[in-house]
Amino acid sequence: MSINKISVCTVSMNRLHHIRETLPANIAENINYPDIEFVLLDYNSSDGLEEWVRSNMMTYIDAGILKYYRTTEPVYFQLSHSRNMVTMLSSGDILCMMDGDNYAGAGYAHWINSIFAEKGKNAIVSAFFRKNVMYSDTCGKLSFHRDLLASVRGYDESFIDYGMEDRDLVVRLQKAGGI
């Protein structure tokens, strides 16, 4: 089975209370995947996220496992914009969007890779597709190939509220050939 580079992408604006629980667990449970990066975009948090990352996650940053970025421009959280930003900051072939309160689960990266090895670049792993879902807690998680995302030009930044941006993206990914 081929090994795809996987980027686990998370955005946080004032969700340190979640990130300090989920991020170390997600890394620990998937660090054995041979080509993985965790990309955390601090979307102008004011809750001490940057200080916590610098105090607790430097080992992973130094090892290239965690990429940490911070923007100070947004005043309000813009989900689609922040997700487009984090995907541009990542370098993986497979992009796994993961909300700050989501646990990946042990072996998640291996499982995601197996889906793409079987179905190819057009695979979409989402709670909207029960046939591709092994884990019951997939809400807040969405995985797709970078090329498929580029073909639909990313998330639609006209969406303001939560939830519909993922459904819209999945529909557009399907129309572009996603399965």
Side-chain angles (χ1 to χ4, degrees):
M1 176 184 329
S2 65
I3 300 295
N4 292 292
K5 182 168 187 176
I6 293 178
S7 295
V8 178
C9 301
T10 302
V11 177
S12 180
M13 182 182 224
N14 298 324
R15 295 187 73 185
L16 173 59
H17 61 287
H18 288 133
I19 298 295
R20 70 175 157 220
E21 301 296 324
T22 59
L23 184 61
N26 290 340
I27 292 172
E29 292 181 335
N30 290 279
I31 200 166
N32 64 345
Y33 184 79
D35 202 359
I36 192 167
E37 67 179 6
F38 291 82
V39 184
L40 176 60
L41 173 60
D42 179 342
Y43 202 69
N44 200 18
S45 292
S46 60
D47 62 355
L49 178 61
E50 181 175 23
E51 294 79 16
W52 179 83
V53 167
R54 302 268 180 231
S55 296
N56 296 280
M57 304 303 289
M58 288 307 296
T59 301
Y60 298 116
I61 291 172
D62 291 343
I65 296 164
L66 174 62
K67 291 182 177 179
Y68 172 76
Y69 298 95
R70 176 172 169 78
T71 180
T72 58
E73 292 181 11
V75 175
Y76 302 104
F77 190 63
Q78 297 171 341
L79 191 57
S80 292
H81 176 259
S82 66
R83 289 187 178 192
N84 282 335
M85 283 183 68
V86 77
T87 61
M88 288 187 276
L89 294 167
S90 68
S91 63
D93 303 309
I94 310 296
L95 304 175
C96 298
M97 308 306 294
M98 193 163 301
D99 288 351
D101 60 348
N102 284 136
Y103 289 95
Y108 183 76
H110 284 283
W111 174 69
I112 289 292
N113 188 65
S114 73
I115 297 283
F116 283 86
E118 177 187 336
K119 299 190 180 299
K121 284 181 159 186
N122 286 343
I124 304 167
V125 181
S126 162
F128 304 125
F129 294 114
R130 294 290 176 200
K131 66 182 186 242
N132 286 348
V133 176
M134 179 175 90
Y135 295 96
S136 62
D137 65 340
T138 56
C139 290
K141 298 177 190 174
L142 176 59
S143 299
F144 40 79
H145 196 279
R146 173 180 298 287
D147 293 345
L148 188 59
L149 180 68
S151 76
V152 299
R153 298 188 176 129
Y155 283 86
D156 181 345
E157 294 188 17
S158 70
F159 281 94
I160 304 301
D161 292 331
Y162 291 80
M164 293 310 295
E165 82 291 339
D166 278 347
R167 182 165 293 280
D168 169 74
L169 180 64
V170 168
V171 167
R172 291 187 298 115
L173 292 172
Q174 284 180 304
K175 287 180 180 179
I179 54 173

